[in-house]
Amino acid sequence: MRVWAVANQKGGVGKTTTSIALAGLLADAGKRVVVVDLDPHGSMTSYFGHDPDSLEHSTFDLFLNQGNVPEGLPQQLLLPTSHERISLLPSSTALATLERQSPGQNGLGLVVSKSLAQLWGDFDHAIIDSPPLLGVLMVNALAASQQLVIPVQTEFLAVKGLERMVSTLAMINRSRRQALPFTIVPTLFDRRTQASMTTLRQLRNSYPENLWQAYIPVDTRLRDASRAGVTPSQFDHKSRGALAYKALLKHLLEQHVREKVA
């Protein structure tokens, strides 16, 4: 199983849309995909028609056993989605209490890794949607992943958020045996605005080695897909947003091949 995390310490940059769009395209290609919602806001869970405020069981349950994950628990938590090849490990608002409960508990940083290990033979890909703040949930996402995708809205304040995210990644890498490769993805790009054009140039100048050189455009069809509760490629596979995500997926898969060769 290939595990990707989608993360940024700034909200509103397109993390959930990116996670679901990539999962949908992988599923369209016949892959079995599990999406993991670690954001207490539960945007991904809501996207697929489940209510994070009323769910009795969620990813929160994975953290209730002092860092241990009971055998079979991840499978029990899986929920269906609009795509037959995508399963969801849902979020609930209870995750918001985890930071207060975690001090003094050892081993909580590897809970998601241990959970995905139990699902290893059942899925080809796992995509983790992370919360927009540094804490035990983001640490779990980064510890479990083999590739990090960092969506960055093409506006001035988002660049500051990216700087914090890259700093966090450097800190996490010091505790990993191997540095976590990452790809920066410009999102919500609108060529009609000076902010988008200037920010894209700044990203290309500052992060030439880690930046995906294309971008995800502003596209109302992405919002329409969210309202319908289906992946962007299910809703309109020829939309500008869906085609852009298809190009991004191709880039990420080719990057994986290059890393294996290296």
Side-chain angles (χ1 to χ4, degrees):
M1 182 164 63
R2 185 74 180 159
V3 184
W4 295 343
V6 181
N8 193 325
Q9 285 173 247
K10 185 180 184 305
V13 298
K15 292 191 303 295
T16 299
T17 300
T18 297
S19 301
I20 293 172
L22 292 173
L25 288 164
L26 286 165
D28 292 345
K31 303 299 183 182
R32 300 165 301 165
V33 185
V34 57
V35 289
V36 185
D37 192 352
L38 291 185
D39 191 340
H41 291 109
S43 296
M44 175 185 278
T45 300
S46 298
Y47 190 113
F48 285 122
H50 303 284
D51 183 6
D53 292 323
S54 62
L55 281 176
E56 188 174 346
H57 298 287
S58 71
T59 47
F60 179 69
D61 295 36
L62 300 172
F63 292 87
L64 298 179
N65 297 277
Q66 301 292 320
N68 298 310
V69 180
E71 190 67 34
L73 179 59
Q75 287 89 344
Q76 295 171 24
L77 297 177
L78 292 172
L79 293 177
T81 71
S82 58
H83 201 300
E84 64 179 3
R85 293 192 186 91
I86 300 177
S87 297
L88 168 70
L89 276 175
S91 169
S92 69
T93 49
L95 278 174
T97 68
L98 191 60
E99 299 298 335
R100 296 196 300 272
Q101 299 178 25
S102 59
Q105 293 194 50
N106 296 323
L108 287 190
L110 296 176
V111 166
V112 172
S113 295
K114 294 174 182 177
S115 301
L116 291 179
Q118 293 192 28
L119 299 173
W120 209 261
D122 300 328
F123 296 96
D124 302 300
H125 288 262
I127 298 182
I128 306 170
D129 189 17
S130 305
L133 75 164
L134 178 59
V136 67
L137 292 169
M138 182 179 286
V139 167
N140 263 269
L142 299 182
S145 66
Q146 301 153 333
Q147 168 79 31
L148 173 63
V149 177
I150 309 177
V152 179
Q153 184 180 358
T154 46
E155 55 95 16
F156 299 121
L157 291 178
V159 176
K160 285 296 180 184
L162 174 60
E163 291 173 0
R164 289 194 296 272
M165 188 66 224
V166 172
S167 176
T168 294
L169 182 58
M171 178 184 69
I172 295 291
N173 278 339
R174 287 196 287 271
S175 63
R176 289 177 60 106
R177 285 176 295 183
Q178 190 172 359
L180 179 62
F182 68 97
T183 300
I184 299 166
V185 179
T187 60
L188 298 165
F189 179 80
D190 187 347
R191 64 172 57 255
R192 298 169 298 180
T193 68
Q194 187 64 34
S196 274
M197 297 296 289
T198 301
T199 303
L200 186 60
R201 282 197 298 270
Q202 185 177 352
L203 290 171
R204 286 173 173 170
N205 289 334
S206 301
Y207 301 95
E209 294 182 2
N210 298 100
L211 182 74
W212 178 49
Q213 292 298 311
Y215 53 79
I216 306 299
V218 170
D219 185 358
T220 58
R221 302 298 276 172
L222 295 174
R223 187 168 61 244
D224 293 341
S226 173
R227 191 178 299 115
V230 299
T231 69
S233 55
Q234 279 179 306
F235 187 80
D236 183 356
H237 70 280
K238 293 184 179 179
S239 68
R240 292 185 304 136
L243 290 173
Y245 276 116
K246 187 175 183 179
L248 172 61
L249 178 60
K250 183 173 183 287
H251 171 80
L252 293 172
L253 293 174
E254 288 175 347
Q255 188 176 50
H256 173 52
V257 172
R258 289 194 296 270
E259 288 166 6
K260 286 182 70 174
V261 171

